[in-house]
Amino acid sequence: MPRLLPSLLLILMSIASTVRADAWHLESQAHGVDVYLSDVPGSAYQQFRGVAHIKASVRTLVDLQENLRVACKWLYACESMRLVEVDGDSTWVYITTALPWPAQPRDMVLRVRSERLDDGTLVRHLSADPDKLPSAPGLIRVRQLAGEWTFRPLGDKDTEVIYQLQADPAGAVPGWVANRFVIDAPMVTLKTLRAVAERQP
C-alpha cells in the first residue's frame, strides 16, 4: 500500500494542476463583452477568453474574418495581415502587430483550422507555425500560440462569439503591457467586431 502513495500523489497533483489551468475568473465586463482570465502552468502569461453576443449571422462574421483587409481593422494590435496558403480545412495567415511602446513589434504565421459542428457552430483553431516563413528583420517572431474562435448560432441574426488565446510573445515585454494585452485584446477585438458586423445589411 505505501508504494501506491507516490503514484496517487502524482495523480492528485496532476488533477489539481488541470483544475487550476481551467479555473477561469471574470476579469472585466464592459461594452457587452465579458473577459475571463486563467493562469497557464509553466507560463508567465495568462490566457484570455472573451465572450460576446453579436446581432449578426455566423456567415456575416465569417465573411468579416476571411476578408483580411477588414479583419486587420477590428483585430486588436493588428498592423498588417496577408494570406500565405490554403490547404483543405487549414489556412495560413501572416500577421504583423503594433503593440504599445516600449514593446517591439511582433510577427507571426498563424495556422487556422476550421471545424463545423452539427449544431452549426463554427470553431476555428489557432496555432503558431513560426517556421512557415523566414524571419523578418526588425520583428520578433511569435513561436508559441494556441487558441480558438467559436461562432455559435443563437438565431438567424444572433451569434455567441468566443475568442480564446494563450501566447508567449517572445522577447522582453513590460509587465504592464502584458497585463493590459490579455484584457484589451479580447475587449477591443469583440467590441470592434460587433460594431462592424451589426452595420452589415
Side-chain angles (χ1 to χ4, degrees):
M1 187 68 168
R3 293 180 181 177
L4 295 176
L5 287 177
S7 297
L8 181 59
L9 286 172
L10 284 174
I11 292 170
L12 290 174
M13 289 171 64
S14 175
I15 293 172
S17 175
T18 301
V19 170
R20 284 196 301 272
D22 293 333
W24 293 95
H25 65 273
L26 181 62
E27 182 69 21
S28 180
Q29 281 184 305
H31 312 290
V33 179
D34 296 343
V35 176
Y36 299 84
L37 301 181
S38 175
D39 292 332
V40 179
S43 174
Y45 302 99
Q46 291 180 299
Q47 58 182 332
F48 67 72
R49 177 186 290 167
V51 182
H53 284 189
I54 298 179
K55 294 186 189 322
S57 66
V58 172
R59 180 70 259 170
T60 294
L61 294 167
V62 167
D63 288 345
L64 291 174
Q65 195 171 61
E66 292 181 348
N67 184 331
L68 300 186
R69 182 182 59 81
V70 173
C72 194
K73 295 181 184 299
W74 55 257
L75 184 66
Y76 178 75
C78 180
E79 178 72 18
S80 68
M81 185 185 297
R82 66 176 173 86
L83 180 66
V84 175
E85 183 182 337
V86 177
D87 184 9
D89 63 358
S90 292
T91 300
W92 284 261
V93 178
Y94 177 71
I95 302 173
T96 62
T97 67
L99 293 172
W101 183 90
Q104 292 180 264
R106 265 77 177 161
D107 72 347
M108 68 188 78
V109 182
L110 197 63
R111 181 192 176 196
V112 184
R113 183 176 62 83
S114 299
E115 177 185 15
R116 181 76 69 170
L117 306 184
D118 291 340
D119 65 354
T121 296
L122 177 67
V123 182
R124 290 193 148 156
H125 304 277
L126 313 176
S127 59
D129 192 354
D131 299 321
K132 185 77 172 175
L133 293 176
S135 297
L139 297 174
I140 297 175
R141 176 65 50 89
V142 174
R143 307 194 67 82
Q144 296 179 30
L145 180 148
E148 59 188 31
W149 280 92
T150 302
F151 301 102
R152 181 175 294 112
L154 302 176
D156 289 341
K157 282 199 170 185
D158 191 9
T159 305
E160 180 186 54
V161 181
I162 303 172
Y163 175 34
Q164 181 172 322
L165 194 69
Q166 190 275 323
D168 185 330
V173 177
W176 69 268
V177 173
N179 291 337
R180 287 306 312 168
F181 178 83
V182 292
I183 298 174
D184 289 348
M187 180 67 70
V188 173
T189 294
L190 290 173
K191 181 181 72 171
T192 310
L193 174 59
R194 177 197 285 117
V196 174
E198 293 185 353
R199 287 201 303 265
Q200 303 303 305

